[in-house]
Amino acid sequence: MMTAYFPLSLPPGVYRNGTEFESKGRYYDASLIRWIDRDLRPIGGWQKRSVSQVTGAARAIQAWRDNSGATWLGIATHSHLYASNRAGDIYDITPTGFVVGRSDAVTGGGYGMGDFGVGFYGTPRPDNTLIQDATVCTLDTWGQNLLMVSPDDGKIYEWALNTASPAAAVANAPSCKALVVTPERFVLALGAANDQRNVAWCDQEDNTDWTPTTTNQAGSFPLQTAGSLMCGKVIQGGTLLFTDVDAWLAAYTADTLVYRFTRVGSACGVVSRQCVAALDARAVWMGRNSFWLYNGYVQPLACEVADYVFSDINSLQLSKIYAVRNSAFDEIEWHYCSSGSNEIDRCVIWNYRDNYWNIGRPSRLCGTDRGVFQHPIMIDADGYLYDHEVGFNYDGDIPYAESGPVEIGNGDQMIYADQLIPDERTAGQVTITLTTRQFPNGAASVHGPYALASPTNVRITGRQAKMRYTAAMMADWRVGSPRLAMSGGGRR
């Protein structure tokens, strides 16, 4: 029987829609890894940045430089507002009289609500109960100052870089649910004056002048939408405004109306106030059951792990979902709660350069990209800030990637393999475990883990095999395209 070298070269990304067998020829599971130019690599680790913790559940973070070049972080929890400097010192700048919100989303109902004997235990109920979202603030900068609004407090606050003084309410500003500062230097107040559809804006360069006159550019406009305004995001060419049902583009006209509002997508609403990431002239966000992309127009974003994400997500805690861009590696991360957790414990990743999906990252409450700071910064449920993509410390977790089944032909031939020819940068940094089966749901035979040498002696037999790479040491390893020395046979 002739031996052939069978390449175990799988495309990048995780495929997790449907059954494990449907992921054949792809990766099915992963943790703490990514693909760069088709090579499998570990992500960077993390290290604690702050000495002290913040109080409350952090749901928003903003990085910026002041006029002197000093770098700052603004951190909004459901109960406090903080500022942190480059050294990691944290200052409480919570406004006086700030209304504390909710750390978790809650419903108006609960156990015992409804008629006795109606429905079945463990089955979803109709959408007839009001959900009060977890409190998620929005942050932005006004020059070198920080702006913040909480949807449960409603006031726009400004902090002027004095760590000894708290943020203060912006004079004359309307109540609102969220805000965004446009490139033309207007503050857009979303859901202004207790109208969920209303956009109000201050005069250009003056965030205390909100009353329209013939001599200023302040104004307001009620969107013709069935939704409620949730958030805004600046992109090249305008400012995108999102409701829970559609998306709008606000374009500066500098005429009597000041802004033109155009609906650019329907039935594509955001699932939370922080689930949108900007990609230059594009934006991407998570909806209730899918992902969406704006690229001049709104279109669905095909997701190869959608089944994994949306079949195991806590629908009550959707308001906590946070998107953060990792521009160094062309990635967008969405952090969310699985169905068994009331706090963020999962992460799904889209690589927008190579268009693949990934899972298995540390779950953080919110974060910000590198740029102002050297590394991406995220905040954990423990209240500490962490630098990411630095070193290879994973708090005891081990990077791995596991494939779906690999078959010869249509799976009607047996695989006989006695050698593995590895393809890694440095021998000994990765181990491989091979699992064989006769049928997709048949009994599994596990072989290894094998410490890789060139070649590595193995002995496996089965109609299908899958492989699992596991880091043997915390280093910047690489795995390319290994090959199995194998032969195919008939059914006997």
Side-chain angles (χ1 to χ4, degrees), residues 197-219:
R197 302 168 180 81
N198 191 38
V199 183
W201 57 92
C202 63
D203 189 21
Q204 194 171 35
E205 298 282 358
D206 187 353
N207 68 356
T208 65
D209 187 357
W210 294 80
T211 302
T213 68
T214 58
T215 58
N216 70 14
Q217 294 189 82

Side-chain angles (χ1 to χ4, degrees), residues 212-380:
T213 68
T214 58
T215 58
N216 70 14
Q217 294 189 82
S220 65
F221 188 85
L223 300 182
Q224 185 58 37
T225 175
S228 298
L229 279 161
M230 297 284 287
C231 59
K233 188 67 68 171
V234 173
I235 61 169
Q236 290 180 7
T239 302
L240 286 172
L241 304 179
F242 299 90
T243 78
D244 50 0
V245 299
D246 52 15
W248 295 71
L249 180 66
Y252 181 59
T253 61
D255 58 14
T256 303
L257 294 178
V258 185
Y259 275 95
R260 180 179 65 251
F261 298 91
T262 305
R263 182 188 282 116
V264 292
S266 58
C268 61
V270 296
V271 76
S272 72
R273 298 188 188 276
Q274 295 286 357
C275 72
V276 185
L279 299 171
D280 300 321
R282 299 179 294 166
V284 61
W285 63 96
M286 183 188 284
R288 185 166 290 273
N289 297 296
S290 58
F291 293 90
W292 298 90
L293 172 69
Y294 174 81
N295 189 17
Y297 59 95
V298 173
Q299 62 190 92
L301 180 61
C303 176
E304 295 186 330
V305 294
D307 192 26
Y308 170 81
V309 173
F310 294 107
S311 67
D312 187 19
I313 193 168
N314 189 332
S315 59
L316 177 60
Q317 303 299 335
L318 296 177
S319 54
K320 297 178 180 179
I321 293 172
Y322 196 98
V324 59
R325 182 181 181 183
N326 188 348
S327 58
F329 298 99
D330 306 305
E331 295 172 341
I332 304 295
E333 300 180 4
W334 286 271
H335 298 258
Y336 66 97
C337 304
S338 67
S339 60
S341 175
N342 279 330
E343 193 48 275
I344 290 174
D345 64 341
R346 291 272 181 86
C347 179
V348 58
I349 307 100
W350 178 49
N351 183 291
Y352 52 86
R353 186 187 70 170
D354 297 324
N355 193 27
Y356 70 77
W357 292 83
N358 196 0
I359 58 175
R361 296 284 174 86
S363 52
R364 305 299 192 206
L365 302 194
C366 59
T368 184
D369 195 8
R370 71 169 192 174
V372 174
F373 291 86
Q374 182 178 1
H375 303 288
I377 297 174
M378 300 193 193
I379 190 164
D380 197 12

Side-chain angles (χ1 to χ4, degrees), residues 393-407:
N393 169 52
Y394 308 108
D395 289 337
D397 291 336
I398 306 296
Y400 71 85
E402 184 173 294
S403 75
V406 175
E407 299 178 323

Side-chain angles (χ1 to χ4, degrees), residues 12-25:
V14 172
Y15 185 89
R16 202 70 182 257
N17 289 336
T19 67
E20 182 176 347
F21 183 73
E22 288 178 299
S23 69
K24 65 180 181 179

Side-chain angles (χ1 to χ4, degrees), residues 157-180:
Y157 295 99
E158 183 174 3
W159 181 64
L161 303 180
N162 184 350
T163 57
S165 298
V170 174
N172 306 316
S175 63
C176 62
K177 300 296 184 181
L179 63 83
V180 61

Side-chain angles (χ1 to χ4, degrees), residues 8-17 20 23-30 33 35 38-40 304-305 357-359 400-405 467-469 479-482:
L8 299 175
S9 179
L10 307 183
V14 172
Y15 185 89
R16 202 70 182 257
N17 289 336
E20 182 176 347
S23 69
K24 65 180 181 179
R26 299 289 305 273
Y27 285 96
Y28 179 75
D29 194 13
I33 60 91
W35 291 263
R38 299 185 68 87
D39 283 354
L40 183 67
E304 295 186 330
V305 294
W357 292 83
N358 196 0
I359 58 175
Y400 71 85
E402 184 173 294
S403 75
M467 53 189 176
R468 180 186 176 104
Y469 298 109
V479 171
S481 300

